[in-house]
Amino acid sequence: MKGKKHILLFTLITCTFFSFAQDGKFVASASKTKVAVGEQFQLSFTASGNANLNSYKAPNVSGLTVLMGPSTSSSVQIINGNMSQQIAITYIVVAEKEGVCSISSASVIINGKRIESNPLKIEVTKNPINDGKQNGNNSQSSNSFVSTVVSQSKIYLGQQFTVTHKVYSRDQIVGFKDIEFPNYESFWSQVIDNKRQNIQLSIEVIEGVEYYCAEMRQAVLFPQKTGKIEILPVNVDMVVKQPSNKKPTTIFEQFFGTSYKEVELKVKGKPITIEVVTLPENNKPLNYKNYIGNFSCSTKLNKENAKTNEAVTLSITISGKGNLKMIEAPEINLPAEVEKYDPKVNERITINSSGMSGSKTFEYTLIPRASGKHNVKIEPLIFYDYDKKQYITIPSPEYELNIEKGANDEKNLVLSPTEKQDITTLNNDIRYIKTGHLELSKKQDLFHGSILFYSLIGLIVLLFPALIVFRKKYNLQNADTIGNKRKKAAAVAKKHLKTAEKYLTENNSDKFYDEILKAMYGYFSDTYTIALSETNKEKIKHILSEKGIADELSVSFIKLLNDCEFARYAPSLASPKKEIYDSAINCITQIEELKK
Amino acid sequence: MRNLKPIALLLLLLAYNYGRSNSEFAKANNLYAKQKYSEAKQVFKKLIADGFTHAHIYYNLGNCYFKTDSIAWAILYYEKAKKFLPNDAEINFNIEVSKKYLTDKIEQPPKPVITQLLNSVAQSKSTDGWAANCIIMLITSFMLFAIFLLSEKSITKRISFWTSAISVIAAIVSYTMAARNYNLISSKNEAIILGSSVEIKSSPEENGKNLFIIHAGIKGEILNKAGDWFELKLSDNHVGWVQAKEIAEI
């Protein structure tokens, strides 16, 4: 163990206490609180501040015999121009009898005020107490221990707190051989710099007992996960100076009193547990980024009017207390015409026992590429203030850049107007829904395949043969009218002849011949189914000869027609004649007979 | 007048139902616009459950499923919508977008040109459009035939005869198109895989050999049914049996 390298070595001047506070203080302490009868121990009254020793009023030390003292020692310290003074009044006493021995307050005037010290109680036992001086290692825990002190034991995720590791020893700490610092798992840690190199030694009084105290390390921690998290203590391998029990062997030792030996001690502490809880969910802003502390934000745009391609600087400064190191550059929202470069980050962060504080500056360089007015929006700063227990949003102002066309714009133009870009697909999203009114119909309402549909088709298909049947019947009927006409031809002719007979008696020659002609032509056209308009003498002659009717009859028929027509065109010359009438009747009856 | 009362009531009821369903549709669209996709989905589904079938309802429902990250369901409803509007650009676009999110990549071989052409013609009109067309063509044909039979002039007869014959052919074509359209819309010969990872087996039984595994969103043609099992043919000609609960018919 001795071969082990000494990491740090310190020497202390005994009884020179320094700087607890600048205010007046008067503290009583004993080197032991448990003593055996007849054992010597030290009582000290330490005044810090400008104490007037003449005003010192000794305490009542009943049950104790003062072997030596009061002896005074004083120290003056000047730190940064502040002077602090300490005066210690020491007694070497011995307990006389068993029991609790109380030491009443002493008092002294410090800075014009009388200040009383704390009373002390000393327990006096019959047997000498095994206080560990003989067999050091076994009971070292009572004489020396490690403490881990946190500023808060219940904390929010990401909230900063400090942890202090201290080593206490009743014996004077000479040096450290090996210090094993914990590595703060589940925390983001930052060791407070000015305490990294120097281990500060001081004397602290705990429950009336003086301890040599070494502050090993102080660190600022930011919990990174929730739940109960253990913080491991430091493990220290240190060297202390213990008075040896040996009788002074040399004259040198005899001369200087008690001899000391250096003892190596291993001190281990217990881990402490802190509870990390999540931040309250209610009112949690959407874009909250786990910044905890108390911050302020200021933004500055170095110029609002600029020319194209001229750099503009936008600086955003976030200052305050909290996890500053975790603060990322706030997003800024810019139109595409303004180019943005990654921000330059300037940190001025100090870490001390009160935590992390300082400021962080982000400097964006913006280069407008097109003239016009461009809006610059800065993401607001959102943090959780654990003092006020609420989320705070600090909005940032919106800037408007007024960009004019630069003089040498043509040369430096980055986006030339001829340069065309493809539309870049940013996201693959579906098209929007179809809106508007619908002609909604239910499935069963379909016309196709319905009874109506098929019956309509059937009906129409059936109509075709029906139409054909209808047409045939119509044709037949038409054919019948021809037959009727043939049948009725003689009768019709007879009718006309009867009218002609009437005109004969009335001697109306014009109408008489007219009726005879009507009778003759009508009869002929009806009998041989020839249109009345197409009937003429030539056709009559032709048809009659075709039908094999005697030329005699044909001649008389034509002659009759000729006579009638002649009489009609010259009515004055003709008179109704009985022979004509008879000849007409004769012709018709002869043809009628031939028909049968 | 007494006879008209029930008819008037029926008409009113129909008008009410029509108006209500239309307002439901608008309500669902509003919910969608407010990004309340799950609620919009419920309303669209209710409309379909009520018997309203419209490509737009299916399409919008597909969008709701897409927005709630159910890609396979989205594809199912897009495909349903596509049956009504096969050439709709938005439906086809959304199907293509959705397919990008699928695990399996299966190339869709194009259908034969004739089938494609016939289908696109058949789906250029609705089923009822074709049916109505068929009836109109038949009536036209009949009227022309009547003209043919009754007219005396030979030129009129000739023209009316041939136009009547053409109309009859048109009526027959319309009928087949109506039938084809109806088949395309109502036949369920395709299915979408809905199970996230589905084993395709060689036979319709639980302990059949696993042929391959496909993931949600794949479309297959239904070849056969046997109890709770469907025989599916994928577009890359893989064939196998799958349980009915893993798929949904389009």
Side-chain angles (χ1 to χ4, degrees), chain A residues 284-291 379-382:
Chain A
K284 193 174 189 173
L286 212 63
N287 301 324
Y288 178 66
K289 283 181 180 166
N290 221 19
Y291 301 160
E379 183 193 27
L381 176 73
I382 304 167

mmCIF file with all atom_site columns, all heavy atoms in Angstrom, chain A residues 284-291 379-382:
data_model
loop_
_atom_site.group_PDB
_atom_site.id
_atom_site.type_symbol
_atom_site.label_atom_id
_atom_site.label_alt_id
_atom_site.label_comp_id
_atom_site.label_asym_id
_atom_site.label_entity_id
_atom_site.label_seq_id
_atom_site.pdbx_PDB_ins_code
_atom_site.Cartn_x
_atom_site.Cartn_y
_atom_site.Cartn_z
_atom_site.occupancy
_atom_site.B_iso_or_equiv
_atom_site.pdbx_formal_charge
_atom_site.auth_seq_id
_atom_site.auth_comp_id
_atom_site.auth_asym_id
_atom_site.auth_atom_id
_atom_site.pdbx_PDB_model_num
ATOM 1   N N   . LYS A 1 284 ? -49.006 20.541 -20.997 1.00 0.00 ? 284 LYS A N   1
ATOM 2   C CA  . LYS A 1 284 ? -47.694 20.354 -21.607 1.00 0.00 ? 284 LYS A CA  1
ATOM 3   C C   . LYS A 1 284 ? -47.774 20.799 -23.065 1.00 0.00 ? 284 LYS A C   1
ATOM 4   O O   . LYS A 1 284 ? -48.575 20.274 -23.833 1.00 0.00 ? 284 LYS A O   1
ATOM 5   C CB  . LYS A 1 284 ? -47.322 18.880 -21.527 1.00 0.00 ? 284 LYS A CB  1
ATOM 6   C CG  . LYS A 1 284 ? -45.861 18.619 -21.845 1.00 0.00 ? 284 LYS A CG  1
ATOM 7   C CD  . LYS A 1 284 ? -45.549 17.155 -21.590 1.00 0.00 ? 284 LYS A CD  1
ATOM 8   C CE  . LYS A 1 284 ? -44.085 16.877 -21.679 1.00 0.00 ? 284 LYS A CE  1
ATOM 9   N NZ  . LYS A 1 284 ? -43.776 15.517 -21.267 1.00 0.00 ? 284 LYS A NZ  1
ATOM 10  N N   . PRO A 1 285 ? -46.974 21.777 -23.458 1.00 0.00 ? 285 PRO A N   1
ATOM 11  C CA  . PRO A 1 285 ? -47.070 22.236 -24.852 1.00 0.00 ? 285 PRO A CA  1
ATOM 12  C C   . PRO A 1 285 ? -46.609 21.142 -25.806 1.00 0.00 ? 285 PRO A C   1
ATOM 13  O O   . PRO A 1 285 ? -45.836 20.250 -25.439 1.00 0.00 ? 285 PRO A O   1
ATOM 14  C CB  . PRO A 1 285 ? -46.134 23.435 -24.900 1.00 0.00 ? 285 PRO A CB  1
ATOM 15  C CG  . PRO A 1 285 ? -45.874 23.802 -23.500 1.00 0.00 ? 285 PRO A CG  1
ATOM 16  C CD  . PRO A 1 285 ? -46.024 22.553 -22.698 1.00 0.00 ? 285 PRO A CD  1
ATOM 17  N N   . LEU A 1 286 ? -47.107 21.252 -27.020 1.00 0.00 ? 286 LEU A N   1
ATOM 18  C CA  . LEU A 1 286 ? -46.880 20.213 -28.021 1.00 0.00 ? 286 LEU A CA  1
ATOM 19  C C   . LEU A 1 286 ? -45.402 20.058 -28.367 1.00 0.00 ? 286 LEU A C   1
ATOM 20  O O   . LEU A 1 286 ? -44.904 18.959 -28.515 1.00 0.00 ? 286 LEU A O   1
ATOM 21  C CB  . LEU A 1 286 ? -47.677 20.578 -29.275 1.00 0.00 ? 286 LEU A CB  1
ATOM 22  C CG  . LEU A 1 286 ? -48.201 19.410 -30.082 1.00 0.00 ? 286 LEU A CG  1
ATOM 23  C CD1 . LEU A 1 286 ? -49.184 18.600 -29.257 1.00 0.00 ? 286 LEU A CD1 1
ATOM 24  C CD2 . LEU A 1 286 ? -48.840 19.904 -31.355 1.00 0.00 ? 286 LEU A CD2 1
ATOM 25  N N   . ASN A 1 287 ? -44.718 21.168 -28.508 1.00 0.00 ? 287 ASN A N   1
ATOM 26  C CA  . ASN A 1 287 ? -43.345 21.085 -29.001 1.00 0.00 ? 287 ASN A CA  1
ATOM 27  C C   . ASN A 1 287 ? -42.329 21.149 -27.870 1.00 0.00 ? 287 ASN A C   1
ATOM 28  O O   . ASN A 1 287 ? -41.197 21.560 -28.060 1.00 0.00 ? 287 ASN A O   1
ATOM 29  C CB  . ASN A 1 287 ? -43.078 22.227 -29.984 1.00 0.00 ? 287 ASN A CB  1
ATOM 30  C CG  . ASN A 1 287 ? -44.027 22.160 -31.139 1.00 0.00 ? 287 ASN A CG  1
ATOM 31  O OD1 . ASN A 1 287 ? -44.382 21.090 -31.594 1.00 0.00 ? 287 ASN A OD1 1
ATOM 32  N ND2 . ASN A 1 287 ? -44.475 23.314 -31.595 1.00 0.00 ? 287 ASN A ND2 1
ATOM 33  N N   . TYR A 1 288 ? -42.749 20.746 -26.685 1.00 0.00 ? 288 TYR A N   1
ATOM 34  C CA  . TYR A 1 288 ? -41.875 20.820 -25.531 1.00 0.00 ? 288 TYR A CA  1
ATOM 35  C C   . TYR A 1 288 ? -40.667 19.908 -25.716 1.00 0.00 ? 288 TYR A C   1
ATOM 36  O O   . TYR A 1 288 ? -40.792 18.766 -26.125 1.00 0.00 ? 288 TYR A O   1
ATOM 37  C CB  . TYR A 1 288 ? -42.661 20.431 -24.277 1.00 0.00 ? 288 TYR A CB  1
ATOM 38  C CG  . TYR A 1 288 ? -41.818 20.443 -23.043 1.00 0.00 ? 288 TYR A CG  1
ATOM 39  C CD1 . TYR A 1 288 ? -41.306 21.643 -22.583 1.00 0.00 ? 288 TYR A CD1 1
ATOM 40  C CD2 . TYR A 1 288 ? -41.501 19.279 -22.369 1.00 0.00 ? 288 TYR A CD2 1
ATOM 41  C CE1 . TYR A 1 288 ? -40.506 21.663 -21.462 1.00 0.00 ? 288 TYR A CE1 1
ATOM 42  C CE2 . TYR A 1 288 ? -40.709 19.288 -21.250 1.00 0.00 ? 288 TYR A CE2 1
ATOM 43  C CZ  . TYR A 1 288 ? -40.208 20.489 -20.795 1.00 0.00 ? 288 TYR A CZ  1
ATOM 44  O OH  . TYR A 1 288 ? -39.409 20.505 -19.695 1.00 0.00 ? 288 TYR A OH  1
ATOM 45  N N   . LYS A 1 289 ? -39.474 20.427 -25.449 1.00 0.00 ? 289 LYS A N   1
ATOM 46  C CA  . LYS A 1 289 ? -38.257 19.669 -25.747 1.00 0.00 ? 289 LYS A CA  1
ATOM 47  C C   . LYS A 1 289 ? -37.462 19.316 -24.504 1.00 0.00 ? 289 LYS A C   1
ATOM 48  O O   . LYS A 1 289 ? -36.256 19.135 -24.559 1.00 0.00 ? 289 LYS A O   1
ATOM 49  C CB  . LYS A 1 289 ? -37.363 20.483 -26.673 1.00 0.00 ? 289 LYS A CB  1
ATOM 50  C CG  . LYS A 1 289 ? -37.834 20.470 -28.110 1.00 0.00 ? 289 LYS A CG  1
ATOM 51  C CD  . LYS A 1 289 ? -36.911 21.270 -28.967 1.00 0.00 ? 289 LYS A CD  1
ATOM 52  C CE  . LYS A 1 289 ? -37.344 21.274 -30.400 1.00 0.00 ? 289 LYS A CE  1
ATOM 53  N NZ  . LYS A 1 289 ? -36.645 22.311 -31.134 1.00 0.00 ? 289 LYS A NZ  1
ATOM 54  N N   . ASN A 1 290 ? -38.098 19.227 -23.378 1.00 0.00 ? 290 ASN A N   1
ATOM 55  C CA  . ASN A 1 290 ? -37.445 18.806 -22.145 1.00 0.00 ? 290 ASN A CA  1
ATOM 56  C C   . ASN A 1 290 ? -36.395 19.811 -21.644 1.00 0.00 ? 290 ASN A C   1
ATOM 57  O O   . ASN A 1 290 ? -35.355 19.433 -21.134 1.00 0.00 ? 290 ASN A O   1
ATOM 58  C CB  . ASN A 1 290 ? -36.817 17.422 -22.320 1.00 0.00 ? 290 ASN A CB  1
ATOM 59  C CG  . ASN A 1 290 ? -37.043 16.587 -21.080 1.00 0.00 ? 290 ASN A CG  1
ATOM 60  O OD1 . ASN A 1 290 ? -37.924 16.900 -20.283 1.00 0.00 ? 290 ASN A OD1 1
ATOM 61  N ND2 . ASN A 1 290 ? -36.253 15.557 -20.900 1.00 0.00 ? 290 ASN A ND2 1
ATOM 62  N N   . TYR A 1 291 ? -36.661 21.076 -21.840 1.00 0.00 ? 291 TYR A N   1
ATOM 63  C CA  . TYR A 1 291 ? -35.799 22.081 -21.242 1.00 0.00 ? 291 TYR A CA  1
ATOM 64  C C   . TYR A 1 291 ? -36.398 22.417 -19.884 1.00 0.00 ? 291 TYR A C   1
ATOM 65  O O   . TYR A 1 291 ? -37.553 22.746 -19.769 1.00 0.00 ? 291 TYR A O   1
ATOM 66  C CB  . TYR A 1 291 ? -35.763 23.369 -22.087 1.00 0.00 ? 291 TYR A CB  1
ATOM 67  C CG  . TYR A 1 291 ? -35.279 23.189 -23.501 1.00 0.00 ? 291 TYR A CG  1
ATOM 68  C CD1 . TYR A 1 291 ? -35.584 24.143 -24.470 1.00 0.00 ? 291 TYR A CD1 1
ATOM 69  C CD2 . TYR A 1 291 ? -34.496 22.100 -23.873 1.00 0.00 ? 291 TYR A CD2 1
ATOM 70  C CE1 . TYR A 1 291 ? -35.136 24.009 -25.769 1.00 0.00 ? 291 TYR A CE1 1
ATOM 71  C CE2 . TYR A 1 291 ? -34.052 21.956 -25.165 1.00 0.00 ? 291 TYR A CE2 1
ATOM 72  C CZ  . TYR A 1 291 ? -34.368 22.902 -26.114 1.00 0.00 ? 291 TYR A CZ  1
ATOM 73  O OH  . TYR A 1 291 ? -33.931 22.762 -27.384 1.00 0.00 ? 291 TYR A OH  1
ATOM 74  N N   . GLU A 1 379 ? -38.754 29.689 -33.910 1.00 0.00 ? 379 GLU A N   1
ATOM 75  C CA  . GLU A 1 379 ? -39.458 28.763 -33.021 1.00 0.00 ? 379 GLU A CA  1
ATOM 76  C C   . GLU A 1 379 ? -39.464 29.308 -31.600 1.00 0.00 ? 379 GLU A C   1
ATOM 77  O O   . GLU A 1 379 ? -38.428 29.738 -31.095 1.00 0.00 ? 379 GLU A O   1
ATOM 78  C CB  . GLU A 1 379 ? -38.713 27.429 -33.059 1.00 0.00 ? 379 GLU A CB  1
ATOM 79  C CG  . GLU A 1 379 ? -39.353 26.336 -32.255 1.00 0.00 ? 379 GLU A CG  1
ATOM 80  C CD  . GLU A 1 379 ? -38.393 25.163 -32.093 1.00 0.00 ? 379 GLU A CD  1
ATOM 81  O OE1 . GLU A 1 379 ? -37.174 25.365 -32.121 1.00 0.00 ? 379 GLU A OE1 1
ATOM 82  O OE2 . GLU A 1 379 ? -38.881 24.059 -31.951 1.00 0.00 ? 379 GLU A OE2 1
ATOM 83  N N   . PRO A 1 380 ? -40.620 29.312 -30.928 1.00 0.00 ? 380 PRO A N   1
ATOM 84  C CA  . PRO A 1 380 ? -40.641 29.834 -29.556 1.00 0.00 ? 380 PRO A CA  1
ATOM 85  C C   . PRO A 1 380 ? -39.883 28.907 -28.600 1.00 0.00 ? 380 PRO A C   1
ATOM 86  O O   . PRO A 1 380 ? -39.728 27.718 -28.860 1.00 0.00 ? 380 PRO A O   1
ATOM 87  C CB  . PRO A 1 380 ? -42.116 29.875 -29.211 1.00 0.00 ? 380 PRO A CB  1
ATOM 88  C CG  . PRO A 1 380 ? -42.758 28.916 -30.136 1.00 0.00 ? 380 PRO A CG  1
ATOM 89  C CD  . PRO A 1 380 ? -41.936 28.889 -31.379 1.00 0.00 ? 380 PRO A CD  1
ATOM 90  N N   . LEU A 1 381 ? -39.422 29.488 -27.523 1.00 0.00 ? 381 LEU A N   1
ATOM 91  C CA  . LEU A 1 381 ? -38.695 28.717 -26.505 1.00 0.00 ? 381 LEU A CA  1
ATOM 92  C C   . LEU A 1 381 ? -39.690 28.246 -25.455 1.00 0.00 ? 381 LEU A C   1
ATOM 93  O O   . LEU A 1 381 ? -40.437 29.049 -24.904 1.00 0.00 ? 381 LEU A O   1
ATOM 94  C CB  . LEU A 1 381 ? -37.617 29.601 -25.870 1.00 0.00 ? 381 LEU A CB  1
ATOM 95  C CG  . LEU A 1 381 ? -36.835 28.984 -24.727 1.00 0.00 ? 381 LEU A CG  1
ATOM 96  C CD1 . LEU A 1 381 ? -35.866 27.951 -25.256 1.00 0.00 ? 381 LEU A CD1 1
ATOM 97  C CD2 . LEU A 1 381 ? -36.083 30.056 -23.957 1.00 0.00 ? 381 LEU A CD2 1
ATOM 98  N N   . ILE A 1 382 ? -39.692 26.945 -25.233 1.00 0.00 ? 382 ILE A N   1
ATOM 99  C CA  . ILE A 1 382 ? -40.627 26.394 -24.257 1.00 0.00 ? 382 ILE A CA  1
ATOM 100 C C   . ILE A 1 382 ? -39.826 25.678 -23.179 1.00 0.00 ? 382 ILE A C   1
ATOM 101 O O   . ILE A 1 382 ? -38.963 24.862 -23.493 1.00 0.00 ? 382 ILE A O   1
ATOM 102 C CB  . ILE A 1 382 ? -41.598 25.396 -24.919 1.00 0.00 ? 382 ILE A CB  1
ATOM 103 C CG1 . ILE A 1 382 ? -42.336 26.070 -26.073 1.00 0.00 ? 382 ILE A CG1 1
ATOM 104 C CG2 . ILE A 1 382 ? -42.588 24.858 -23.900 1.00 0.00 ? 382 ILE A CG2 1
ATOM 105 C CD1 . ILE A 1 382 ? -43.050 25.105 -26.959 1.00 0.00 ? 382 ILE A CD1 1
#
